[in-house]
Amino acid sequence: MSAPRQPWWRRLLRASRQQAQPPVAESQVPAAQPRLLEMGDIRAELVKAELARGRARVSERVEGVKSLSEREILACGQVLATLVDEVRDQIDEARHAMQASSARSEALTSRFISEMQQDLQTQEAAVGQVLQLADGIEEAVHAIRRLTRHAEMLALNSKIEAGRFGDQGKGFAVIAENLRELSRTIETAAGQVDASVGAVREGLPPVSDCASSMQNRTRAFIDHLADQARSQGDLGTNGLDVVIALSNEALSHLTFQDAASQKLSTIAGVLEQVDARIERVLAGETELEDAPDDETDDQQLPGQMILF
Amino acid sequence: MSKTVLIVDDSATIRQQVSMALKQAGFAIVEAADGREGLNQIDSNREIAMVVCDVNMPNMNGLEMIEQVKRKPEHKALPILMLTTEGQPSMVRRAKEAGAVGWIVKPFDANQLVQTARHLTKAG
């Protein structure tokens, strides 16, 4: 197994020591100056080479991350946008279909109710006529009863008068008695008719109550259908809200990646600036402008927003 | 009628992300890839009710664009919101002095951006 690679500054020291052998004594420094200067140049070249290599590696990696991030971010963004559009279209379609279905149901049910109302009105009219007939029959029965009472009175009087004529009145008495019998028979029949008419009256259901009850039940059914359609519509809307919330969350992850990628570019830029400044130092410049104050402590943080 | 927002950013991904967030909220979107394009859009499109603008862009950066836009009286009231990775107070100050209405440091929160856009375009 090969030994781990030494850090660059150790390699630099080793190289400079190798160049400086044998070691230079203090008294020999002036004479050794060219060699020391040469050592300084070598160090400087080594430093420059290491910096350049390091910067190139960082830049390469930054570019790699950036291009990968951009491709991924664009692809994810497109997928998300398509997904949200498709879901929204499907939900709109479902909502329209439900509304159309609900409208059709409502129209059909309204027509049904209207036809039912007409039928009930016809029945009501028929029942009214029956009741009127019943009234007519009752009046007729009352008239018959009055007549039978008169006939009975007449029969009674006839019998009394027949009694005054003795045997000659016997035939007349029989007739009177027969008349009385007839009156009672008619009275009994009238009573039966009266009873039947009363039964018919009581047996007729209140038509208006039936109509009202059926109407209420049908309306309740329509309202139930409308509620169901609304609930399904709400479900669709809630589903869309969930998808939008998810896509917003994914969006925030994508923007974070994008921001990170831009920060990497900034780092690469800073390294280039550092490299350029070191080049100038190694080239012998002694007066460099101060690096701009980076105001690190006062910087706005990622995600922060201020309105002026 | 939906309000129109101009997005000015050299990053296609940022334009896509901001566009998606605002379109879902009912805004219409137009885009520009740098400050110069942004300036041309603002001058030619009277429907633009708000601008979301990056700072670091080629050709013309965001701060320069704002300064040019606000020189024209017809654009004095146009709200311009900065959306950038930068957070240095000196830049924020410069944007404010140039006439920007706000500053957001990326990554942005989509809901916050939508609410701010609704607020700024309603006031306009």
Side-chain angles (χ1 to χ4, degrees):
Chain A
M1 190 163 50
S2 56
R5 190 176 162 78
Q6 297 284 315
W8 66 266
W9 54 269
R10 246 190 232 287
R11 295 198 307 273
L12 197 66
L13 276 176
R14 190 167 66 238
S16 67
R17 278 190 202 121
Q18 281 167 0
Q19 290 290 328
Q21 283 175 358
V24 176
E26 200 171 321
S27 56
Q28 292 174 312
V29 162
Q33 205 163 16
R35 201 148 52 91
L36 287 172
L37 279 174
E38 196 184 311
M39 274 169 51
D41 284 345
I42 290 168
R43 273 199 208 116
E45 286 308 310
L46 283 172
V47 167
K48 274 168 64 171
E50 285 290 343
L51 277 171
R53 200 161 64 173
R55 186 173 55 74
R57 284 211 307 255
V58 169
S59 290
E60 195 182 294
R61 288 202 175 125
V62 164
E63 282 309 312
V65 168
K66 263 184 68 177
S67 64
L68 183 64
S69 289
E70 274 224 7
R71 278 202 304 275
E72 295 237 349
I73 288 165
L74 268 172
C76 283
Q78 276 159 12
V79 165
L80 271 173
T82 307
L83 175 68
V84 169
D85 284 344
E86 274 178 17
V87 170
R88 187 186 282 113
D89 287 345
Q90 282 181 11
I91 287 173
D92 280 346
E93 214 175 283
R95 196 182 290 134
H96 288 142
M98 278 189 291
Q99 283 171 351
S101 167
S102 176
R104 274 199 302 274
S105 296
E106 182 124 9
L108 279 171
T109 310
S110 292
R111 201 173 76 191
F112 166 71
I113 290 178
S114 170
E115 285 170 2
M116 191 180 64
Q117 274 178 325
Q118 284 174 9
D119 285 345
L120 286 170
Q121 278 168 2
T122 306
Q123 282 180 28
E124 203 166 17
V127 165
Q129 282 178 352
V130 166
L131 289 173
Q132 281 177 16
L133 283 172
D135 287 341
I137 291 170
E138 273 182 353
E139 277 180 30
V141 164
H142 289 323
I144 289 168
R145 279 194 166 135
R146 283 198 296 275
L147 284 171
T148 53
R149 277 199 292 276
H150 279 306
E152 209 164 320
M153 285 299 293
L154 187 64
L156 189 62
N157 289 336
S158 298
K159 199 170 175 183
I160 293 169
E161 288 301 314
R164 281 208 281 147
F165 286 103
D167 286 342
Q168 285 176 348
K170 274 188 186 169
F172 192 67
V174 167
I175 293 169
E177 186 57 33
N178 286 342
L179 184 60
R180 216 171 151 195
E181 288 283 334
L182 184 61
S183 296
R184 283 183 195 147
T185 306
I186 292 171
E187 175 65 36
T188 305
Q192 284 171 349
V193 168
D194 213 14
S196 296
V197 167
V200 165
R201 272 193 205 277
E202 280 175 28
L204 282 175
V207 174
S208 58
D209 286 352
C210 273
S212 183
S213 168
M214 283 177 76
Q215 206 163 351
N216 288 342
R217 280 201 293 269
T218 309
R219 277 273 164 240
F221 178 64
I222 292 172
D223 288 345
H224 174 69
L225 283 177
D227 281 345
Q228 286 220 324
R230 264 195 299 275
S231 297
Q232 285 171 13
D234 287 345
L235 193 64
T237 304
N238 289 343
L240 181 61
D241 287 346
V242 165
V243 168
I244 289 174
L246 284 173
S247 76
N248 280 343
E249 198 172 308
L251 198 60
S252 65
H253 289 299
L254 290 179
T255 56
F256 177 78
Q257 280 185 38
D258 197 77
S261 146
Q262 291 196 22
K263 284 292 183 190
L264 286 172
S265 297
T266 309
I267 291 168
V270 166
L271 284 174
E272 275 182 37
Q273 287 175 14
V274 164
D275 191 25
R277 286 175 74 85
I278 291 175
E279 289 272 6
R280 288 164 68 186
V281 165
L282 292 176
E285 274 190 53
T286 53
E287 291 185 16
L288 294 175
E289 67 281 4
D290 288 338
D293 182 9
D294 66 3
E295 304 170 288
T296 309
D297 291 342
D298 299 329
Q299 286 217 11
Q300 293 288 111
L301 296 176
Q304 266 189 336
M305 183 185 82
I306 50 170
L307 288 178
F308 302 137
Chain B
M1 195 170 161
S2 53
K3 300 280 175 80
T4 302
V5 176
L6 169 65
I7 303 169
V8 187
D9 201 305
D10 57 332
S11 165
T13 55
I14 286 293
R15 292 201 304 271
Q16 180 194 66
Q17 288 157 23
V18 175
S19 171
M20 211 166 98
L22 293 178
K23 271 184 183 170
Q24 282 172 10
F27 288 94
I29 300 295
V30 287
E31 298 181 14
D34 59 46
R36 192 157 300 287
E37 259 187 54
L39 196 58
N40 291 338
Q41 282 276 8
I42 291 168
D43 282 339
S44 61
N45 188 343
R46 295 294 162 186
E47 300 294 322
I48 292 172
M50 184 181 128
V51 180
V52 176
C53 181
D54 189 12
V55 170
N56 297 320
M57 292 182 288
N59 297 331
M60 184 189 284
N61 71 37
L63 296 174
E64 287 163 1
M65 191 199 84
I66 295 181
E67 284 160 359
Q68 295 237 12
V69 165
K70 292 297 179 177
R71 275 194 203 122
K72 301 182 186 183
E74 64 269 27
H75 300 316
K76 277 277 181 205
L78 178 66
I80 302 179
L81 185 65
M82 310 307 294
L83 175 65
T84 170
T85 51
E86 302 287 352
Q88 295 162 25
S90 53
M91 280 196 178
V92 176
R93 250 192 320 274
R94 186 178 161 193
K96 185 180 175 182
E97 282 159 12
V101 295
W103 188 284
I104 304 177
V105 180
K106 294 174 192 173
F108 66 91
D109 178 83
N111 287 328
Q112 195 181 46
L113 179 65
V114 165
Q115 281 170 26
T116 306
R118 281 186 178 139
H119 169 71
L120 292 172
T121 54
K122 201 163 65 170

